[in-house]
Amino acid sequence: MAEDYLHRIRNKALRERVVTAEKAAELIRDGMVLGMSGFTRAGEAKAVPLALAERARRAPLKVTLMTGASLGNDLDKQLAEAHVTARRIPFMSDPSLRRAINAGEVMYIDQHLSETVEQLRTCQLPPVDIAIIEAAAITESGGIIPTTSVGNSASFALLAEKVIVEINLNQSEQLEGLHDIYIPTYRPSRTPIPVVTPESRVGFPFIPVPPERIAAIVVSTKLDSAANVSDPDEGTQAIAGHLTEFLKNEVAHSRLPTHLHPLQAGIGTIANAVLHGFIDSPFHDLTMYSEVLQDSTFDLMDAGKMIFASGSSITLSAPKYRQVMERFQDYKPKLVLRPQEISNHPEVVRRLGLICINTALEFDIYGNVNSTHVMGSNMMNGIGGSGDFARNAFLSVFVTKSIAKNGRISSVVPMVSHVDHTEHDVDILVTEQGLADLRGLAPRERARVIMANCVAPDWRDGLEDYFTRALVRGGHTPHLLEEALSWHDRLRRTGTMKPE
Amino acid sequence: MAEDYLHRIRNKALRERVVTAEKAAELIRDGMVLGMSGFTRAGEAKAVPLALAERARRAPLKVTLMTGASLGNDLDKQLAEAHVTARRIPFMSDPSLRRAINAGEVMYIDQHLSETVEQLRTCQLPPVDIAIIEAAAITESGGIIPTTSVGNSASFALLAEKVIVEINLNQSEQLEGLHDIYIPTYRPSRTPIPVVTPESRVGFPFIPVPPERIAAIVVSTKLDSAANVSDPDEGTQAIAGHLTEFLKNEVAHSRLPTHLHPLQAGIGTIANAVLHGFIDSPFHDLTMYSEVLQDSTFDLMDAGKMIFASGSSITLSAPKYRQVMERFQDYKPKLVLRPQEISNHPEVVRRLGLICINTALEFDIYGNVNSTHVMGSNMMNGIGGSGDFARNAFLSVFVTKSIAKNGRISSVVPMVSHVDHTEHDVDILVTEQGLADLRGLAPRERARVIMANCVAPDWRDGLEDYFTRALVRGGHTPHLLEEALSWHDRLRRTGTMKPE
């Protein structure tokens, strides 16, 4: 390595601020609020948080940790297990941290991903003391060039008292020019966000931080963690098939053009598989306006189906990552990474008219969706961007397999045990069984369409029985409140939702 | 009356289309979709729907009825009782129609009020056959000048096959110039909505309809129904007091300026009383960006506290209506009425940074709000614009009295029986007992703040007992699912939530 990194710090005065990760971590004191880069396990600062966890094992301290979204490299695990994380905002997906959150040891504030920096900017969240941002390089003017994610990095860096930059030598210098850093102007004199297509570039290719605010620079080399998506299986392929057929029908009825509208897809196996399914569809010249760009985005580009993708991060499997980085100059003109405030902004989502595909944990017969809480109590990951997108979508689609845990759980229930997306924000539900188009339907009509199309055969009678008996009691949205959550309670007591 | 109305139809060719309400109603056939003016009991077409109800009593027919929001003059009652309304979109507040909806006789699609015309425009709702719009006048070019509301009138008129205009001779001609009709451009080439302050005027002062689409003109004289808000009482005054104190503290901590941010308030007694409470506050130069302008808006103007108000309708008590209309030229420069798509648009709400005050039916210890369903099943009115505003607010406030039905019901419950606004969209909860500031808190912390501040003394022990036992089971949002809805079930069985 030697001094090979110096050319990445183009502002020569800043070269003096290079220190070890341990030294930089000493800037962090007990009770501080940290704003860290990292979104869907991409582009997180890696060396300083690990040094911090290491130090906390010797000398305990606690911090509030804000990020873009989830972190890779087991950082949330390390920090949770070292008891550094007292408070975590706004998303996470690590099993150790999840355990601590559900045990009440860590206070977790699960937020719409577009909203965190809005609340920071208006002092409705505690101010960020130190921002820790992974960078590919620092410009002459001190501008920070992010790596594989933007997330909340720009606002963290601009709002924090001090900034620590991690120059990652294994993140390609070719990433420069990928990012579009735009920060909305302050209210009440805010002007419209000028993004009008997925391709719009409206900001800087770097985070414009005054160099004097950069308190330390650390050199790091750890790669992003690889995405852990599973290959499409029979179930996810069936879901993709149902959605493709539905969209073909929308095109046939002139409700959509053959290039559809810009696509958004949540992170994870099912959404990735659904997008992958578009490779064999008749749609073409597709675009994406999403938060995370996964393998499927690049597969669609390789297949000549997708012409442009806007996101806040790039999260790939190991083989796809190698392939994309080898030909990055070919992909780069078709890509832009934005702050998550912009990738997820209600204003832009509604303006562009997105087709939004997100994953449900469970949904109920009236179309309410739970995407966060197992059994109404235990946090899984967080709502992430799904609310930003579903609420403002042209078409809001939620997908899930109809059963879980080898058939002991039905993903379609009488009443969801926690609501993240209300009936008002859900247009289409898809399981491997089929698709329910809820547009323009009243709750009683939705129930019939959902039960006819989305439920595994084993569970249909039980739901129909519940609905029929609820109808006798009446109401716009008929429920038997003494029984509405009994499927979940039975699961808790017996290990299955099936009647005893 | 004679021919006194002719000067209100400035396009001379259109004068030939004046017919009786009965004749105009003959254009309506069984199965049609009607798009009618009317928002919060203001500016609805009055003569034609009554003629339609009358006709349906002799010769039954059914229609889908879309409006802006609720209708006055018992129109929803008349149409429901004549069995004309088969399907109703997107809001209502009439007891007869409510009964029919809860009995499953009328299919009700309860929508975010900004979204209806977006779905119409993209053919995701059935197309409007006939628009029926109340007007103060028709311009030379055939432009329709609305009356006391805009609601969805502009898009209905522009999208419908035929338009029936009701010229209401008792609606003042001075209303001309009050309205700002802006329709977002079609996607995917939509440009930003240029509203950047409550005062922004960005459209036409009339609905620009080609005159050949105006199939009939009817002359009417019925007044808008008076608003039925109750006077502030001890409870609503206490709510207003808690909120005023909170906002004063926000100003003291520089999180808000002394003119606050633009205000939005939901319809009804409590929200009206809260706004009224600002008369005695230290805030000044207030503005409003809301959907309905009630008595309190004009009281604040009269008190020199409010300098401008943007809405989609004006709904006043009888005495206030007379007073406002007598001095309308004084108020007019401080007012604008917009399509509800714009008054409620997520893009504009978020840009302006509104303080949004809406009414909850009940909320739970974790901050989820039910604003529509009594006992999880029975529709009250509808979500209205509360979701458009709460989701995108600078500060999302929900207010309610802590008890209902002479103390037999607690408005704070272990788990709401229906979710309209999730924990992610609720910043502040206020009852007459006190105010809970939920910003930046995890669910367990929220529960403690809510129980300490918002709950009536009689009910605190019961909630604390539930929470304490749920904590033993654990989770990010601890619940006992077998018991979570038991308070509602007890109310159903025994007439009170109190333990037997």
Side-chain angles (χ1 to χ4, degrees):
Chain A
M1 175 162 102
E3 311 273 282
D4 270 8
Y5 61 87
L6 284 182
H7 70 283
R8 295 209 189 201
I9 307 172
R10 292 187 220 139
N11 180 309
K12 293 205 171 93
L14 284 175
R15 290 177 186 171
E16 292 171 12
R17 310 221 179 129
V18 176
V19 295
T20 63
E22 293 68 27
K23 190 79 188 162
E26 283 174 17
L27 292 170
I28 300 164
R29 293 191 306 276
D30 187 50
M32 275 189 167
V33 177
L34 307 183
M36 246 170 60
S37 67
F39 191 96
T40 59
R41 300 154 55 88
E44 75 277 354
K46 298 165 177 82
V48 176
L50 282 178
L52 179 68
E54 190 57 37
R55 171 182 145 204
R57 287 193 187 90
R58 300 187 309 271
L61 87 169
K62 290 200 173 288
V63 303
T64 292
L65 176 58
M66 300 187 191
T67 59
S70 54
L71 302 176
N73 281 296
D74 283 342
L75 287 184
D76 263 323
K77 175 185 160 78
Q78 299 288 338
L79 290 167
E81 292 181 355
H83 305 289
V84 173
T85 313
R87 190 171 282 273
R88 185 73 173 86
I89 304 173
F91 188 83
M92 64 87 220
S93 67
D94 176 77
S96 288
L97 178 55
R98 182 183 301 140
R99 193 206 54 72
I101 288 168
N102 286 322
E105 294 157 19
V106 173
M107 293 296 106
Y108 178 43
I109 294 92
D110 171 29
Q111 298 191 311
H112 298 303
L113 295 188
S114 77
E115 295 188 354
T116 308
V117 295
E118 195 85 275
Q119 292 194 0
L120 264 181
R121 194 180 290 136
T122 54
C123 307
Q124 300 194 75
L125 285 174
V128 175
D129 294 297
I130 298 184
I132 314 172
I133 311 293
E134 180 174 272
I138 297 176
T139 68
E140 289 75 0
S141 65
I144 299 169
I145 297 165
T147 61
T148 42
S149 72
V150 178
N152 285 326
S153 298
S155 287
F156 288 160
L158 290 167
L159 293 169
E161 202 173 317
K162 293 177 182 172
V163 181
I164 301 173
V165 178
E166 286 197 6
I167 302 279
N168 189 324
L169 303 187
N170 278 320
Q171 293 275 28
S172 171
E173 290 173 84
Q174 297 183 78
L175 292 170
E176 183 167 357
L178 174 63
H179 316 91
D180 185 56
I181 309 297
Y182 177 88
I183 309 284
T185 51
Y186 274 63
R187 295 178 292 200
S189 54
R190 182 174 292 176
T191 49
I193 296 168
V195 174
V196 293
T197 68
E199 295 88 344
S200 295
R201 282 189 170 269
V202 299
F204 297 105
F206 53 78
I207 303 168
V209 181
E212 61 275 17
R213 299 257 305 290
I214 298 179
I217 299 172
V218 168
V219 176
S220 77
T221 55
K222 264 197 196 332
L223 288 174
D224 284 346
S225 298
N228 43 11
V229 289
S230 317
D231 287 333
D233 60 23
E234 208 177 312
T236 57
Q237 280 169 349
I239 291 170
H242 298 312
L243 188 57
T244 305
E245 283 308 304
F246 165 80
L247 292 171
K248 279 160 69 175
N249 189 52
E250 292 297 292
V251 172
H253 286 83
S254 306
R255 285 191 289 265
L256 281 173
T258 51
H259 56 275
L260 304 180
H261 279 212
L263 300 167
Q264 176 266 334
I267 195 163
T269 298
I270 303 186
N272 195 56
V274 168
L275 275 195
H276 211 267
F278 288 168
I279 289 176
D280 301 318
S281 75
F283 316 127
H284 53 79
D285 294 319
L286 297 171
T287 60
M288 195 157 192
Y289 193 86
S290 195
E291 51 184 26
V292 53
L293 308 182
Q294 301 180 81
D295 283 20
S296 49
T297 302
F298 296 89
D299 292 338
L300 283 165
M301 284 185 176
D302 294 345
K305 286 287 187 183
M306 181 166 284
I307 57 172
F308 196 88
S310 166
S312 191
S313 73
I314 297 176
T315 302
L316 301 173
S317 67
K320 199 76 199 173
Y321 181 84
R322 278 192 300 277
Q323 181 209 312
V324 167
M325 283 302 158
E326 273 165 22
R327 302 200 288 118
F328 194 70
Q329 292 305 328
D330 297 339
Y331 291 109
K332 198 161 138 185
K334 303 176 195 167
L335 297 171
V336 62
L337 295 189
R338 308 178 189 278
Q340 68 198 69
E341 182 180 18
I342 305 299
S343 65
N344 292 32
H345 203 290
E347 170 173 340
V348 182
V349 173
R350 177 100 170 232
R351 181 181 301 147
L352 299 183
L354 305 189
I355 297 173
C356 297
I357 305 162
N358 290 287
T359 306
L361 205 58
E362 62 179 2
F363 56 85
D364 67 29
I365 56 173
Y366 296 114
N368 299 286
V369 168
N370 175 7
S371 40
T372 57
H373 281 69
V374 176
M375 301 286 282
S377 296
N378 292 306
M379 175 53 63
M380 190 68 198
N381 298 330
I383 193 166
S386 59
D388 289 323
F389 290 109
R391 168 67 63 89
N392 300 293
F394 171 87
L395 258 184
S396 165
V397 181
F398 281 90
V399 295
T400 188
K401 291 188 183 178
S402 70
I403 54 171
K405 304 279 176 199
N406 295 316
R408 285 181 282 123
I409 294 176
S410 171
S411 307
V412 193
V413 291
M415 177 186 264
V416 288
S417 57
H418 180 91
V419 178
D420 290 294
H421 308 286
T422 74
E423 44 158 345
H424 310 287
D425 298 329
V426 180
D427 296 319
I428 308 288
L429 289 168
V430 199
T431 69
E432 80 291 350
Q433 298 290 322
L435 178 145
D437 180 355
L438 309 181
R439 294 175 297 176
L441 299 186
R444 289 166 182 236
E445 297 171 309
R446 283 185 229 137
R448 293 195 171 93
V449 171
I450 289 170
M451 291 190 297
N453 291 284
C454 297
V455 180
D458 269 12
W459 298 92
R460 205 166 289 153
D461 288 352
L463 288 173
E464 280 178 359
D465 174 58
Y466 176 85
F467 179 61
T468 308
R469 287 182 296 114
L471 279 176
V472 175
R473 198 174 287 168
H476 176 59
T477 306
H479 267 302
L480 306 168
L481 290 187
E482 72 279 20
E483 211 180 296
L485 299 172
S486 64
W487 291 33
H488 299 86
D489 187 50
R490 199 181 298 130
L491 173 62
R492 180 183 64 84
R493 286 183 291 104
T494 70
T496 171
M497 284 184 177
K498 293 257 175 189
E500 283 123 302
Chain B
M1 175 165 99
E3 310 274 284
D4 270 9
Y5 62 87
L6 284 181
H7 70 282
R8 294 208 189 201
I9 308 172
R10 292 185 220 142
N11 180 308
K12 294 205 173 91
L14 283 175
R15 291 177 184 173
E16 293 170 11
R17 308 220 181 129
V18 176
V19 294
T20 63
E22 293 68 27
K23 190 78 188 164
E26 283 174 18
L27 292 169
I28 300 163
R29 293 190 306 276
D30 188 49
M32 274 189 168
V33 176
L34 307 184
M36 245 168 63
S37 67
F39 191 96
T40 57
R41 301 154 54 89
E44 74 277 357
K46 297 165 178 83
V48 176
L50 282 178
L52 180 68
E54 189 56 38
R55 171 181 145 206
R57 288 193 187 91
R58 299 187 309 268
L61 87 169
K62 289 198 173 291
V63 303
T64 292
L65 176 59
M66 300 188 192
T67 58
S70 54
L71 303 176
N73 281 296
D74 282 342
L75 289 183
D76 261 325
K77 174 185 159 77
Q78 298 287 339
L79 291 167
E81 292 182 355
H83 304 289
V84 174
T85 313
R87 192 169 280 275
R88 186 73 175 86
I89 303 171
F91 188 82
M92 62 88 221
S93 68
D94 177 77
S96 288
L97 177 56
R98 182 183 300 140
R99 195 208 51 75
I101 288 167
N102 286 321
E105 294 158 17
V106 172
M107 293 295 104
Y108 178 44
I109 295 91
D110 171 29
Q111 298 191 311
H112 298 302
L113 295 189
S114 79
E115 294 188 354
T116 308
V117 297
E118 195 85 277
Q119 291 194 0
L120 264 180
R121 194 179 289 137
T122 54
C123 306
Q124 300 194 74
L125 284 174
V128 174
D129 295 298
I130 298 185
I132 314 172
I133 311 294
E134 182 174 272
I138 298 177
T139 67
E140 289 75 1
S141 65
I144 298 169
I145 296 165
T147 60
T148 42
S149 73
V150 178
N152 284 324
S153 298
S155 285
F156 287 160
L158 291 166
L159 294 168
E161 203 175 314
K162 292 177 182 169
V163 181
I164 300 173
V165 178
E166 286 195 9
I167 303 279
N168 188 326
L169 304 189
N170 279 319
Q171 293 276 27
S172 171
E173 289 173 83
Q174 296 183 78
L175 292 169
E176 183 167 355
L178 174 64
H179 315 90
D180 185 56
I181 309 297
Y182 176 89
I183 308 285
T185 52
Y186 275 62
R187 294 177 295 202
S189 53
R190 182 174 293 175
T191 48
I193 296 168
V195 174
V196 294
T197 68
E199 294 87 345
S200 294
R201 282 189 169 268
V202 300
F204 297 106
F206 52 78
I207 304 168
V209 180
E212 61 276 16
R213 298 256 305 292
I214 298 181
I217 299 172
V218 169
V219 176
S220 76
T221 55
K222 265 196 194 337
L223 288 173
D224 285 348
S225 299
N228 43 11
V229 289
S230 319
D231 286 334
D233 60 23
E234 208 178 314
T236 57
Q237 280 169 349
I239 292 171
H242 297 312
L243 188 57
T244 305
E245 282 309 305
F246 166 79
L247 292 171
K248 278 160 71 176
N249 189 51
E250 292 297 293
V251 172
H253 286 83
S254 306
R255 286 191 289 266
L256 280 173
T258 50
H259 57 274
L260 304 179
H261 279 212
L263 302 166
Q264 176 266 333
I267 195 164
T269 299
I270 302 185
N272 195 57
V274 168
L275 275 195
H276 212 269
F278 288 169
I279 289 177
D280 301 317
S281 75
F283 316 128
H284 53 78
D285 294 319
L286 298 171
T287 60
M288 196 156 191
Y289 193 86
S290 195
E291 50 185 25
V292 54
L293 308 182
Q294 302 180 79
D295 283 20
S296 49
T297 303
F298 295 89
D299 291 338
L300 283 165
M301 285 185 177
D302 295 344
K305 285 287 186 182
M306 180 165 287
I307 56 172
F308 197 87
S310 166
S312 192
S313 72
I314 297 176
T315 301
L316 301 175
S317 67
K320 199 74 198 172
Y321 181 84
R322 277 193 301 276
Q323 182 209 312
V324 167
M325 282 304 156
E326 273 166 21
R327 302 202 288 118
F328 195 69
Q329 292 305 329
D330 296 340
Y331 290 110
K332 201 161 136 184
K334 303 178 194 165
L335 297 171
V336 61
L337 295 189
R338 309 177 187 279
Q340 69 197 70
E341 182 180 20
I342 306 300
S343 64
N344 292 33
H345 202 291
E347 171 173 340
V348 182
V349 174
R350 178 101 169 231
R351 180 181 302 146
L352 299 185
L354 305 190
I355 298 173
C356 297
I357 305 162
N358 290 288
T359 307
L361 204 57
E362 60 178 3
F363 56 83
D364 67 29
I365 57 173
Y366 296 116
N368 299 285
V369 168
N370 174 9
S371 40
T372 57
H373 281 69
V374 176
M375 300 286 282
S377 295
N378 291 305
M379 173 54 63
M380 190 67 199
N381 298 329
I383 192 165
S386 59
D388 289 323
F389 290 108
R391 170 65 62 89
N392 300 293
F394 172 87
L395 258 184
S396 165
V397 181
F398 280 91
V399 294
T400 189
K401 291 188 184 179
S402 71
I403 53 170
K405 304 278 176 201
N406 295 317
R408 285 181 281 124
I409 295 176
S410 170
S411 307
V412 193
V413 292
M415 176 186 266
V416 286
S417 57
H418 180 90
V419 177
D420 290 293
H421 308 286
T422 75
E423 46 161 340
H424 310 288
D425 298 329
V426 180
D427 297 319
I428 308 290
L429 288 169
V430 198
T431 69
E432 82 290 349
Q433 298 289 322
L435 180 146
D437 180 355
L438 310 180
R439 293 174 297 174
L441 299 186
R444 290 166 181 236
E445 297 171 308
R446 281 185 230 137
R448 292 193 173 94
V449 172
I450 289 171
M451 291 189 297
N453 291 285
C454 297
V455 180
D458 268 14
W459 298 91
R460 204 167 288 154
D461 287 353
L463 288 172
E464 279 177 0
D465 173 61
Y466 176 85
F467 179 62
T468 307
R469 288 181 295 115
L471 280 176
V472 176
R473 200 175 286 168
H476 175 59
T477 307
H479 267 302
L480 307 168
L481 291 187
E482 72 279 20
E483 208 180 298
L485 299 172
S486 64
W487 291 33
H488 299 86
D489 187 50
R490 198 180 300 129
L491 173 62
R492 180 183 65 82
R493 287 185 288 101
T494 69
T496 172
M497 285 183 176
K498 293 256 174 190
E500 285 122 303

